[in-house]
């Protein structure tokens, strides 16, 4: 079987009214992503999704399309789509970085491989260790009344864990988290995510002030070196999760060498693909750390890939640290024919061949750019 075409399709899907994301990285009101179709001479078509963001990884929609069209596609056309390792090496040779772009193409290769074998992707990864993934939903960094209302909305849907965005202003951040804890009561776990928005001094102060909030974890409180994160971890009353600090395999190694985090947030887009995510999970395993699934607000294809990864690795522990396989909750539209069953409180693993999702051509035409 050979690849005949690698097709990037730019789309723009808005977030639902009242659910636009506000974090320390800024406002996210619409998702300018790229859907990838890998065509083969066997008639099988693999699907991938690049959840790109200039503020997150430096990748843009136009840049992703160009990277695939001008560099990646010429390197992969004529090769066997099931040779994922060779494809990864080829992509890394012709263009550096661009993790979300490469992840979308690699995701589509796994989808083809699963469809060719007639099995779900998790089976290709060694089989599943769980049938469902506990999720959390996010309360964006808004005013206290708005945060309370969003927390109440998610709890009314049955979610069993809440994540609160912080990292903008310490006093407002603390007030927001305390309000959500009050709404959630003592039995619902609450996490916070600063998206690198605090300084080391602010993070120390805020985590001490929030010691009574009984936080499950603090996600990426600061930017900077592993040494700085390790210094904060030694002083923190709650576990520290690395997200923006763990893009690459080398990042993972440095974090473990410095004992800078208790948990890794992992997902295919950030790491450049499913196989790269597995490598980072292995580093965490060697260090005795746990992982959970993070998010860049994926649509259905990217979320399906995340669920397959969550199903396949014991070191990814969504029961203890609920996952962010939640992007479709926030988007005002979808591009797959059958929406994923995301709960809450538990998302189900897709069981169809490959990623287990199919493209909705009408929706694709609606959201397609140009």
């Amino acid at each position: 079987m050979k690849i005949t075409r690698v097709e990037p399709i730019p789309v723009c899907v808005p977030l639902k009214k009242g659910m636009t994301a506000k974090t320390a990285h800024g406002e996210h009101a619409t998702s300018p992503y790229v859907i990838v179709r890998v065509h083969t001479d066997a008639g099988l078509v693999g699907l991938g999704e690049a959840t790109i963001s200039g503020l997150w990884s430096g990748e843009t929609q136009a840049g992703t399309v160009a990277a695939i069209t001008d560099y990646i596609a010429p390197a992969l056309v004529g090769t066997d789509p099931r040779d994922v390792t060779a494809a990864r090496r080829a992509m890394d040779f012709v263009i550096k970085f661009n993790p979300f772009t490469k992840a979308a193409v690699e995701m589509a290769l796994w989808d083809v491989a699963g469809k060719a074998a007639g099995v779900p992707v998790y089976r290709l990864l060694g089989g599943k260790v769980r049938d469902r993934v506990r999720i959390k939903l996010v309360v964006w960094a808004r005013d206290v009344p708005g945060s309370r209302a969003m927390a109440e909305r998610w709890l009314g849907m049955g979610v069993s864990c809440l994540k609160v965005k912080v990292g903008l202003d310490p006093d407002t951040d603390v007030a927001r988290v305390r309000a959500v804890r009050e709404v959630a009561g003592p039995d619902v776990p609450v996490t916070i995510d600063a998206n690198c928005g605090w300084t080391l001094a602010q993070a120390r102060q805020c985590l001490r002030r929030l010691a009574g909030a009984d936080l499950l974890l603090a996600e990426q409180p600061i930017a900077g070196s592993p040494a700085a994160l390790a210094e904060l971890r030694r002083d923190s009353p709650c576990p520290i999760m690395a997200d923006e600090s763990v893009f690459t395999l080398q990042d993972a190694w440095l974090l473990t060498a410095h004992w800078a985090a208790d948990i890794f947030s992992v997902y295919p887009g950030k790491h450049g693909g499913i196989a790269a995510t597995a490598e980072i999970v292995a580093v965490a395993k060697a260090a005795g750390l746990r992982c959970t699934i993070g998010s860049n607000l994926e649509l259905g294809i990217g979320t399906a890939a995340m669920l397959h990864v969550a199903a396949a690795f014991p070191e990814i522990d969504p029961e203890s640290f609920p996952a962010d396989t939640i992007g479709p909750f926030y988007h005002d539209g979808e591009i797959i024919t059958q929406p994923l069953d995301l709960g809450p409180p538990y998302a189900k693993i897709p069981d169809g061949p490959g990623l287990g999702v199919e493209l909705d051509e009408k929706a694709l035409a609606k959201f397609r750019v140009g």
Side-chain angles (χ1 to χ4, degrees):
M1 180 163 54
K2 303 298 181 184
I3 296 172
T4 58
R5 185 184 177 197
V6 182
E7 179 189 11
I9 307 168
V11 298
C12 195
V13 183
L15 271 64
K16 294 175 182 175
K17 185 177 180 180
M19 290 196 193
T20 55
K22 185 178 181 182
T23 73
H25 289 312
E27 193 96 17
H28 181 154
T30 188
S31 295
Y33 295 161
V34 176
I35 304 304
V36 172
R37 284 194 287 214
V38 170
H39 302 264
T40 71
D41 60 3
L44 296 175
V45 178
L47 300 177
E49 176 186 310
T51 58
I52 40 167
S53 166
L55 291 172
W56 186 254
S57 70
E59 294 164 276
T60 65
Q61 189 175 67
T64 291
V65 172
I68 292 173
T69 302
D70 298 339
Y71 295 91
I72 293 173
L76 297 188
V77 167
T79 65
D80 192 317
R82 296 164 295 187
D83 292 337
V84 174
T85 300
R88 292 178 65 202
R89 294 183 68 191
M91 288 192 288
D92 287 343
F93 182 78
V94 297
I95 188 167
K96 302 300 181 187
F97 310 118
N98 291 280
F100 285 86
T101 301
K102 293 174 181 176
V105 175
E106 193 239 34
M107 200 181 297
L109 301 182
W110 284 104
D111 192 32
V112 170
K115 289 173 178 175
V119 299
V121 165
Y122 66 71
R123 188 74 63 199
L124 303 179
L125 299 173
K128 61 182 177 180
V129 297
R130 57 182 61 87
D131 294 311
R132 61 183 191 173
V133 174
R134 188 182 177 197
I135 70 166
K136 60 183 179 291
L137 287 169
V138 182
V139 175
W140 304 120
R142 303 197 179 279
D143 59 25
V144 169
S147 298
R148 290 181 65 96
M150 183 164 275
E152 289 168 350
R153 177 175 184 170
W154 297 144
L155 291 167
M157 287 175 56
V159 76
S160 62
C161 183
L162 293 169
K163 175 160 86 171
V164 186
K165 291 289 186 175
V166 295
L168 284 82
D169 168 72
D171 289 336
T172 307
D173 290 338
V174 169
R176 182 183 309 109
V177 176
R178 286 175 174 167
V180 171
R181 167 51 75 198
E182 182 180 339
V183 170
D187 299 326
V188 174
V190 173
T191 77
I192 60 171
D193 182 6
N195 291 114
C196 304
W198 286 333
T199 65
L200 180 57
Q202 288 173 331
R204 281 188 174 132
Q205 179 192 59
C206 289
L207 290 176
R208 288 170 183 166
R209 291 172 67 186
L210 289 170
D214 189 25
L215 297 176
L216 178 65
L217 60 87
E219 182 176 350
Q220 202 64 53
I222 61 172
S225 69
L229 198 60
E231 184 178 341
L232 177 64
R233 178 177 177 250
R234 286 190 290 269
D235 193 43
S236 174
C238 68
I240 298 295
M241 182 160 78
D243 184 9
E244 287 92 332
S245 289
V246 58
F247 265 75
T248 68
L249 188 62
Q250 292 74 24
D251 291 339
W253 181 80
L254 285 171
L255 287 171
T256 57
H258 283 84
W259 294 105
D262 301 278
I263 308 128
F264 285 172
S265 170
V266 300
Y267 58 100
K270 183 175 64 168
H271 306 310
I274 290 172
T277 304
E279 293 170 350
I280 288 173
V281 170
V283 172
K285 178 181 180 180
L289 305 183
R290 309 304 277 176
C291 301
T292 193
I293 297 290
S295 173
N296 206 36
L297 280 187
E298 290 75 11
L299 299 167
I301 298 170
T303 302
M306 292 154 59
L307 288 169
H308 284 277
V309 170
F313 299 100
E315 297 75 28
I316 296 176
D317 184 7
E319 193 62 41
S320 300
F321 306 107
D324 288 343
T325 51
I326 58 174
F329 280 112
Y330 296 88
H331 284 98
D332 191 17
E334 186 51 274
I335 55 167
I336 56 176
T337 55
Q338 182 63 40
L340 298 165
D341 185 348
L342 300 178
Y346 288 94
K348 292 183 179 178
I349 313 300
D351 269 327
L355 294 175
V357 296
E358 296 297 334
L359 201 57
D360 184 328
E361 296 292 345
K362 288 185 178 180
L364 182 67
K366 174 183 177 181
F367 295 116
R368 187 169 189 152
V369 176

